Amino acid sequence: MADPTTSPPTSPGSSPKSKGTRTPLSLDLSSVPPLTSPSPPSNTLLITNLLDESIFHPTSLLQIRTLISNHTPLHSFAPLKSFRRIIVSFYTIPDAITIHNLLDNAPIMASRARIYFGEPTPIEITDQHLQAPQSQKMFFISPPPSPPFGWEVRNEGPPNKEVHAEDLASALAGLRQRPEAAAMDASDPQIERERGGDEGSGRSGSSTTMVYQPERHGGSPGLPAVVVEDTTGSEGESPVEGGKILAHTARPPVELMQDS
């Protein structure tokens, strides 16, 4: 009989100890988020992970508030049921550190609380009311507030009674006071062409005066010139050449439904 304790023969190629090279194990840490430093101690504590809704019952909140106030004086106590947390602030940072070490990972009813430091809470009382704007901008408010000190009521001036501007009125007044303007206009070929066009249109007894010409006044040659034409001595003529009046075409008769 064969010895049952002897192991079966193995082939040389199936040896458990392989002599081949092994690749070294490497870890890809590119997807690991960077380490975040814990918040520095402050006078504000965030008591989180309060999953049991019975914690936010008024009786339970009063017990938690009393437990904390027995160790250190409280500045504020704000339970936030929708966020499952309580925000507590103290007058000093050492008081907040004491409560953090006392209640962190402590069981509160059916939950295990986790406590973190929050943003510092200002203790000094500051004026939170909306300040009035500067006096220079008070009149931009509608309706405006009371007038500043020293303000006096004054009557508004009448509306402008002048038909033309001052520069245009002075130019019109100088039409008859400058006899040399007619000689200057006679030497200007542009005005002569305009006068020839006016004469061809049937106007008589009109005078034209150049009030502004860009070339003479040092302006850009692309600007338009200003010419004033005096037509006070011209006689009115019919706007239709020859006095003929064109007859209008009569509308055709309208047939009513009952006549058809």
Side-chain angles (χ1 to χ4, degrees):
M1 296 180 63
D3 190 1
T5 59
T6 60
S7 59
T10 58
S11 61
S14 61
S15 175
K17 296 182 180 180
S18 176
K19 298 181 180 180
T21 59
R22 296 181 179 180
T23 58
L25 181 63
S26 62
L27 297 177
D28 185 9
L29 302 179
S30 59
S31 61
V32 178
L35 296 178
T36 57
S37 59
S39 302
S42 64
N43 65 334
T44 304
L45 292 180
L46 306 178
I47 306 176
T48 64
N49 200 34
L50 304 179
L51 304 180
D52 190 359
E53 295 186 358
S54 60
I55 297 176
F56 296 93
H57 191 272
T59 304
S60 302
L61 292 176
L62 180 60
Q63 294 178 358
I64 297 174
R65 183 187 181 100
T66 304
L67 175 64
I68 297 175
S69 59
N70 290 336
H71 293 81
T72 56
L74 283 174
H75 176 262
S76 64
F77 184 85
L80 303 177
K81 183 178 180 180
S82 58
F83 293 96
R84 300 293 190 269
R85 63 183 56 187
I86 301 175
I87 301 179
V88 187
S89 62
F90 304 88
Y91 289 97
T92 60
I93 296 179
D95 293 344
I97 296 176
T98 301
I99 300 300
H100 178 273
N101 298 334
L102 179 65
L103 298 181
D104 191 21
N105 286 322
I108 299 179
M109 295 193 178
S111 302
R112 183 170 295 275
R114 295 306 309 268
I115 303 179
Y116 304 94
F117 291 102
E119 294 292 329
T121 302
I123 304 301
E124 299 179 358
I125 300 176
T126 57
D127 188 7
Q128 301 292 334
H129 296 86
L130 182 63
Q131 301 297 326
Q134 301 178 1
S135 59
Q136 293 81 1
K137 300 181 179 180
M138 296 285 279
F139 288 96
F140 291 98
I141 304 175
S142 179
S146 301
F149 179 77
W151 183 81
E152 297 180 358
V153 181
R154 63 177 182 178
N155 298 327
E156 296 183 359
N160 187 14
K161 296 182 179 180
E162 298 180 359
V163 180
H164 305 287
E166 295 181 358
D167 53 350
L168 183 58
S170 60
L172 294 175
L175 290 177
R176 302 182 182 277
Q177 298 177 3
R178 294 185 301 171
E180 67 277 4
M184 295 175 59
D185 296 340
S187 61
D188 194 341
Q190 180 179 359
I191 298 180
E192 290 295 335
R193 290 193 300 267
E194 294 178 356
R195 288 183 177 179
D198 294 341
E199 292 175 359
S201 61
R203 293 184 179 179
S204 61
S206 61
S207 61
T208 305
T209 303
M210 177 69 68
V211 178
Y212 174 78
Q213 189 173 5
E215 291 81 359
R216 297 181 181 177
H217 295 80
S220 174
L223 296 176
V226 179
V227 180
V228 178
E229 182 179 1
D230 185 9
T231 59
T232 55
S234 61
E235 298 179 358
E237 297 182 358
S238 174
V240 182
E241 297 181 0
K244 296 181 180 180
I245 301 177
L246 300 178
H248 297 280
T249 304
R251 188 183 65 177
V254 180
E255 297 181 359
L256 303 178
M257 293 297 295
Q258 57 270 21
D259 296 341
S260 60

